[in-house]
Amino acid sequence: MSRYVIIGAGALGTALAAEFDAAGIDSVVVARGAQREALAGGPLRYARPGGVRRVPLSVIGGPADIALTGDDVLVVAVKAHQAQTVLQEWAGASVRLDTDSETVAAETLPVVTLQNGIDTEAVAARYFATVIGASVWIPANFVVPGSTEVHSAGAAGLVWLGEYGSATGDDVSASAVAADLRRADFDAQVVPDIERWKRAKLLSNLGNAIDVLAGSDAERARAEALVRAEADAVFAAAGWDVADYRTESALDIGAFRATPVPGTDGPRRSTWQSLRRGAGTVETDHLNGQIVLLGKQLGVPTPANLRVQQALRRLAGSGAHPGDLGIADVIGPVPDAKGLIDA
């Protein structure tokens, strides 16, 4: 049976560990800072709509703290802008295959990449022989060290995964991970061409940065439509196809709904959580910034995404909180143009 080494102890990483624990699946969490202190000092407070569990987690600080074996699976659960450092750190970690044989993680162990954005899998493939990309839907919150909320009453989350570079979707490693996820209260589907699914998720994640800006619901909807329209233009110029979760997924998306944990305000997007925690950095450079990069490469203007990217970098670096800057302050008055809302 596999042991999962979950690198990153944010909302997703700790939710995975808690659900693995309930399913009897072995896991270790790699944490740092205040979160490591909180988890090493006591059990995780894990709240879902049905109640609160206290889950003791095995917590380490890095590769030096664990003896890896050939049965381990590395799960990279940090934010997109932190992934390359983690991948470099773990690629050379020693792996004991038997009493007389030793190798390194990059050559032997599969690595599962859970990041928003579309570039982590390519980065991972520079180091690791087997890269399993994943697109995850989970309404999880992590704001206070030692506490995680998952605001779903049915499955904890939905996961689409597949080996990076595979066009068939029949990878043995991805199928084994999917089977364990299903045991751990996640609905999971192995798909061919995981890049299509990651691109589709990126389009929805472009609004993460706008979520932290003050404004009305109408302003927010128009702003999200504007950055999405630029992304659509970039993808069209690149000739990129994207998956349609509603028509292509075998998972029951319609039954997956956010159900707030009692006594909370419900789920918030990941960038809002990072800013609220005072993390100092956010993943916007790998979301809206990815659209800006592609726009430069393909000659497609992306001014709204650029302004959002720059504003979020300033906000995170200054220690600002969600709502400290308005939508109009960042991208100006957003035209209420028919077509943008439906883009």
Side-chain angles (χ1 to χ4, degrees), residues 8-152:
L12 177 53
T14 52
L16 277 171
E19 297 297 347
F20 281 156
D21 175 80
I25 297 171
D26 194 11
S27 71
V28 176
V29 177
V30 183
R32 61 186 181 181
Q35 181 74 326
R36 182 182 180 186
E37 293 179 9
L39 296 176
L44 170 74
R45 179 185 180 275
Y46 185 61
R48 293 194 60 184
V52 177
R53 287 195 288 124
R54 302 285 177 173
V55 185
L57 302 179
S58 297
V59 182
I60 62 173
D65 300 331
I66 188 171
L68 296 172
T69 74
D71 293 327
D72 288 324
V73 177
L74 303 183
V75 180
V76 180
V78 298
K79 292 290 193 294
H81 61 289
Q82 301 160 332
Q84 177 155 331
T85 299
V86 163
L87 290 161
Q88 288 176 314
E89 180 183 19
W90 283 84
S94 295
V95 178
R96 175 67 64 181
L97 298 180
D98 53 46
T99 55
D100 300 317
S101 179
E102 188 171 303
T103 182
V104 295
E107 299 173 7
T108 307
L109 302 184
V111 60
V112 183
T113 50
L114 304 180
Q115 288 62 45
N116 291 327
I118 59 174
D119 59 352
T120 303
E121 289 71 33
V123 173
R126 293 192 181 105
Y127 304 100
F128 286 83
T130 303
V131 177
I132 301 170
S135 176
V136 184
W137 291 10
I138 181 170
N141 283 8
F142 159 51
V143 176
V144 178
S147 181
T148 297
E149 304 162 0
V150 172
H151 301 267
S152 58

Side-chain angles (χ1 to χ4, degrees), residues 34-295:
Q35 181 74 326
R36 182 182 180 186
E37 293 179 9
L39 296 176
L44 170 74
R45 179 185 180 275
Y46 185 61
R48 293 194 60 184
V52 177
R53 287 195 288 124
R54 302 285 177 173
V55 185
L57 302 179
S58 297
V59 182
I60 62 173
D65 300 331
I66 188 171
L68 296 172
T69 74
D71 293 327
D72 288 324
V73 177
L74 303 183
V75 180
V76 180
V78 298
K79 292 290 193 294
H81 61 289
Q82 301 160 332
Q84 177 155 331
T85 299
V86 163
L87 290 161
Q88 288 176 314
E89 180 183 19
W90 283 84
S94 295
V95 178
R96 175 67 64 181
L97 298 180
D98 53 46
T99 55
D100 300 317
S101 179
E102 188 171 303
T103 182
V104 295
E107 299 173 7
T108 307
L109 302 184
V111 60
V112 183
T113 50
L114 304 180
Q115 288 62 45
N116 291 327
I118 59 174
D119 59 352
T120 303
E121 289 71 33
V123 173
R126 293 192 181 105
Y127 304 100
F128 286 83
T130 303
V131 177
I132 301 170
S135 176
V136 184
W137 291 10
I138 181 170
N141 283 8
F142 159 51
V143 176
V144 178
S147 181
T148 297
E149 304 162 0
V150 172
H151 301 267
S152 58
L158 307 181
V159 185
W160 295 265
L161 68 163
E163 183 175 354
Y164 177 70
S166 172
T168 61
D170 59 358
D171 175 63
V172 173
S173 295
S175 296
V177 172
D180 282 340
L181 286 169
R182 295 185 195 106
R183 286 177 55 201
D185 202 27
F186 286 82
D187 287 343
Q189 177 186 355
V190 177
V191 297
D193 197 357
I194 186 61
E195 293 168 272
R196 296 180 62 248
W197 299 78
K198 300 284 285 194
R199 290 173 198 148
K201 180 77 183 304
L202 172 59
L203 293 177
S204 67
N205 288 142
L206 295 177
N208 287 12
I210 294 168
D211 181 53
V212 310
L213 303 175
S216 67
D217 289 345
E219 287 178 306
R220 184 162 288 106
R222 290 195 294 269
E224 290 197 26
L226 183 58
V227 296
R228 168 66 185 267
E230 291 180 356
D232 287 340
V234 166
F235 280 14
W240 281 355
D241 185 23
V242 299
D244 186 333
Y245 284 95
R246 301 294 171 182
T247 61
E248 296 183 51
S249 176
L251 306 184
D252 189 356
I253 296 174
F256 185 71
R257 301 182 185 278
T259 304
V261 173
T264 72
D265 294 329
R268 298 304 303 253
R269 296 194 189 193
S270 58
T271 302
W272 186 97
Q273 296 176 49
S274 293
L275 210 61
R276 183 65 182 84
R277 285 198 312 272
T281 59
V282 290
E283 61 184 342
T284 312
D285 288 335
H286 288 256
L287 303 179
N288 305 82
Q290 183 72 54
I291 301 305
V292 173
L293 170 62
L294 292 168

